[in-house]
Every structure is written in structure tokens, then in C-alpha cells.
Amino acid sequence: MVYKSKVILAVGAHPDDIELGCGGTLCQATRNGARAIVAYLTKGELSGDAEVRVKESIDAFSVLGVKEVFFGDFPDSEIPNSRKTIDFLEQFHIKYKPDIVLTHTTNDIHQDHRQVGWLSISAFRNVPKILAYETPRVNPSTYSPTYFVDISNCVKEKWEALKCHESQKAKRYLTYESMINLASFRGRQVNLADAEAFEVVKYVESL
């Protein structure tokens, strides 16, 4: 279970992806004592000043109780399928030994999101649990979550985190209505007030 994990690694393509996809999950997990590490492959420079976007994301994760946030220098919109990118991600497994990885789904219409999803499967091949979160760019005809996390106690914090992305506030998916509607919809699917949904990429239970 995510909430019983000691170390969680969340991976994303651009600043705000992780906050949107699993911000509530990370918030509750850190409250429960988990150590959460965040790794972005780009600084999201095509959607604003890179330094601003990095700061906004660090501020957002501070709200969620996440203190360790890292950024790669891969080009926004052109994350390569290469040994270099796999090595970048794999270093986090080697150093932090996460119990579980939260990453992009490969069922996404944004090429960077898909790429990170595929890279994660290779880079974290020795991690027992991998879950794939959703962003506003998921392909609705193929994204099929079967793992749900109760974020009812962290909706406020998730919204406060998303508000840190001031440079992106014109984007419709960063409105309160978009966030709460999705959380409520996913919650209703599994008899919860609010939830975040994931695809199970790999989930190994062991003694």
C-alpha cells in the first residue's frame, strides 16, 4: 500500500505534473511518516521561465510535505529515449531505494509524459511497485485506473500546492473546479469522498 511505504519516489516530465497527478497521495503519505522524493526530467521551459517554474514546484511540494525535489536538464517536449535518461532516473533507485514509484502513464497524448512512463519501466525494473498517475493529458479511451487512493484529508493542501504555480494559472486544468471535480469523480467510483487514481504497472507483495 502507498500509505505504508517508507520511501516513495515520484517521477514527472514537467513542473506541476506530479502535483496534479498524485499531490494528494504524497501529502497523506508524508503525514504518515513516509519519505517522499520527487524527480522531474525537465524544468518546463517551454511554458515559462525555467527558474520560476522550478521555484513554483519546490514551493508546491513544501506545502505537501516533500522536501527533496530534483530537476533534470532534458529538453522540454523532447525527452529522449536514451541510456542517459534511464541512468538519470535509475540513480534515484540506487540512492534512495524506494518501496514504490509513482510515474506517468504511457496512455497519455503528451509525448514527454508517455516517454517518462516508458523510461520508468526500464529504470525502475527492480522496484517492486510502480503506479501510473493521470494528468489532464491522459488518453480517455485507454487510461484505465484500478488503484485508488483516498485523498479526502488532503484536498485543501493539494489545492494550495497547485496555487503555487502562479505562472501557469491561465491553464484550465489548474483551476479549483478541475481539481475537485476529478477528485470527486474518482472518489465516487470507489465510494470515497475524494481520490486519486492510478494504473498498476507492477505491484509485488512480499513478506
Side-chain angles (χ1 to χ4, degrees):
M1 297 172 62
V2 177
Y3 287 165
K4 291 187 177 180
S5 299
K6 294 181 180 179
V7 182
I8 298 173
L9 173 62
V11 178
H14 322 98
D16 79 22
D17 286 341
I18 296 170
E19 295 93 309
L20 282 162
C22 57
T25 298
L26 292 177
C27 178
Q28 186 61 57
T30 58
R31 284 184 183 176
N32 290 2
R35 181 183 185 183
I37 297 100
V38 163
Y40 277 117
L41 277 81
T42 82
K43 296 182 176 70
E45 63 272 12
L46 289 185
S47 295
D49 182 274
E51 291 186 7
V52 171
R53 298 213 65 194
V54 165
K55 183 181 184 304
E56 289 174 342
S57 207
I58 291 172
D59 290 345
F61 283 113
S62 178
V63 173
L64 300 173
V66 180
K67 300 176 181 178
E68 297 169 277
V69 186
F70 302 91
F71 297 86
D73 289 311
F74 297 98
D76 189 355
S77 85
E78 297 181 13
I79 295 175
N81 179 16
S82 67
R83 176 63 182 270
K84 186 176 180 180
T85 47
I86 292 173
D87 285 348
F88 172 80
L89 291 176
E90 193 170 16
Q91 69 174 316
F92 293 99
H93 171 230
I94 294 170
K95 183 175 181 178
Y96 297 105
K97 297 177 174 56
D99 306 301
I100 191 167
V101 171
L102 310 180
T103 189
H104 283 284
T105 174
T106 57
N107 292 303
D108 197 296
I109 63 173
H110 194 296
Q111 68 275 14
D112 280 352
H113 296 177
R114 286 197 309 274
Q115 190 72 279
V116 172
W118 287 117
L119 291 166
S120 294
I121 294 172
S122 295
F124 305 120
R125 59 196 176 278
N126 294 320
V127 177
K129 299 177 178 65
I130 303 175
L131 300 179
Y133 57 79
E134 64 181 325
T135 69
R137 299 291 183 85
V138 294
N139 186 334
S141 65
T142 55
Y143 183 74
S144 183
T146 55
Y147 191 101
F148 297 79
V149 176
D150 187 351
I151 64 164
S152 304
N153 293 327
C154 287
V155 169
K156 178 182 177 182
E157 287 77 9
K158 181 172 181 175
W159 174 234
E160 290 300 319
L162 292 178
K163 286 197 296 182
C164 291
H165 292 278
E166 180 71 17
S167 69
Q168 308 298 303
K169 66 180 181 180
K171 294 180 178 178
R172 184 176 178 181
Y173 57 75
L174 277 170
T175 64
Y176 179 78
E177 289 75 15
S178 293
M179 182 208 71
I180 198 64
N181 286 343
L182 179 59
S184 178
F185 169 66
R186 292 306 187 191
R188 287 197 306 274
Q189 290 182 309
V190 289
N191 199 32
L192 295 171
D194 300 287
E196 287 175 339
F198 301 83
E199 288 178 328
V200 177
V201 179
K202 180 173 63 169
Y203 202 94
V204 178
E205 287 285 0
S206 59
L207 296 176

